[in-house]
Amino acid sequence: AQSVTQPDIHITVSEGASLELRCNYSYGATPYLFWYVQSPGQGLQLLLKYFSGDTLVQGIKGFEAEFKRSQSSFNLRKPSVHWSDAAEYFCAAGLSGSARQLTFGSGTQLTVLP
Amino acid sequence: DTGVSQDPRHKITKRGQNVTFRCDPISEHNRLYWYRQTLGQGPEFLTYFQNEAQLEKSRLLSDRFSAERPKGSFSTLEIQRTEQGDSAMYLCASSSTLAGANYEQYFGPGTRLTVT
């Protein structure tokens, strides 16, 4: 069965520190991969996506993610976290070619300390 | 581009009542999706439409749930005889499959349902 795993339920970092959020997927073939962010009471906002090609993808708000086929991973990174980055982050995967039915991980809640 | 909108934003209902939610996708998007998100979990796929055709339904979509997209524009999700386990955030998303589209799903703010 297709699945997406985010091993870290909650991460706390200090403002200005670097961040890495982990995501692993289990799919029959390499899926399309996405990272979304959700602030309280808000819908999901797309940060970045990977379809093919360059395995390091850049997104909005200074985020980047690296696709590693050998590890079935798509980890999200940011070199310097801002207080406004505090939110819940979801990794998602969809079938390549259509990305119609997304499978989401259970999310990682990010707390940023001043 | 006004984004995906959902109405209402919040709904409180008593167990056994029927509820209906509405989603208006981004105007040029031909695909529309419904997801359900419970507390502490990621969204779970319920169903999707391409134009007015409902092409996939999850096993999560019991026979108490029905979704429509009659003219290929807005969609409604109805839950009949609500149960406390239906309490969740119901998210709508849309995307485009037209030439040059990127399959990105854009989400609305959601409708939070509380069944008492």
Side-chain angles (χ1 to χ4, degrees), chain B residues 11-19 79-84 86 113-116:
Chain B
K11 178 71 177 179
I12 300 174
T13 190
K14 293 185 177 180
R15 188 177 55 186
Q17 298 294 306
N18 299 343
V19 294
I79 309 174
Q80 295 182 326
R81 306 181 302 281
T82 52
E83 301 173 356
Q84 288 190 321
D86 297 330
L113 172 67
T114 302
V115 181
T116 62

Side-chain angles (χ1 to χ4, degrees), chain B residues 44-82:
Chain B
E44 295 173 294
F45 171 80
L46 292 178
T47 188
Y48 96 95
F49 294 83
Q50 181 151 321
N51 301 312
E52 65 276 6
Q54 188 174 17
L55 297 186
E56 280 186 34
K57 289 196 290 186
S58 161
R59 292 175 200 160
L60 293 174
L61 212 65
S62 76
D63 55 7
R64 296 185 297 106
F65 287 69
S66 62
E68 293 183 341
R69 194 183 184 199
K71 297 183 179 179
S73 56
F74 74 91
S75 174
T76 57
L77 177 68
E78 181 183 17
I79 309 174
Q80 295 182 326
R81 306 181 302 281
T82 52

Side-chain angles (χ1 to χ4, degrees), chain A residues 2 4 9 23 29 60-61 92 94 106 111-112:
Chain A
Q2 299 157 347
V4 175
I9 297 172
C23 172
I60 62 171
K61 303 185 179 185
S106 54
T111 297
V112 180

Side-chain angles (χ1 to χ4, degrees), chain A residues 32 34 36 38 41-46 49 51 88 90 95 97-107, chain B residues 9 31 33 35 37 40-45 48 56 58 89 91 95 102-110:
Chain A
Y32 289 169
F34 307 83
Y36 285 87
Q38 186 177 38
Q42 303 295 315
L44 296 159
Q45 182 183 20
L46 181 67
K49 62 186 183 289
F51 286 174
E88 187 146 29
F90 292 96
L95 291 170
S98 69
R100 53 186 184 272
Q101 176 180 326
L102 295 184
T103 300
F104 283 82
S106 54
Chain B
R9 295 291 305 276
R31 279 191 177 169
Y33 311 79
Y35 291 82
Q37 184 179 22
Q41 298 298 316
E44 295 173 294
F45 171 80
Y48 96 95
E56 280 186 34
S58 161
M89 176 79 86
L91 294 165
S95 71
N102 53 22
Y103 302 113
E104 293 176 11
Q105 293 186 23
Y106 295 83
F107 283 80

Side-chain angles (χ1 to χ4, degrees), chain A residues 79-101:
Chain A
S80 177
V81 170
H82 188 263
W83 64 266
S84 60
D85 293 325
E88 187 146 29
Y89 291 80
F90 292 96
C91 181
L95 291 170
S96 59
S98 69
R100 53 186 184 272
Q101 176 180 326

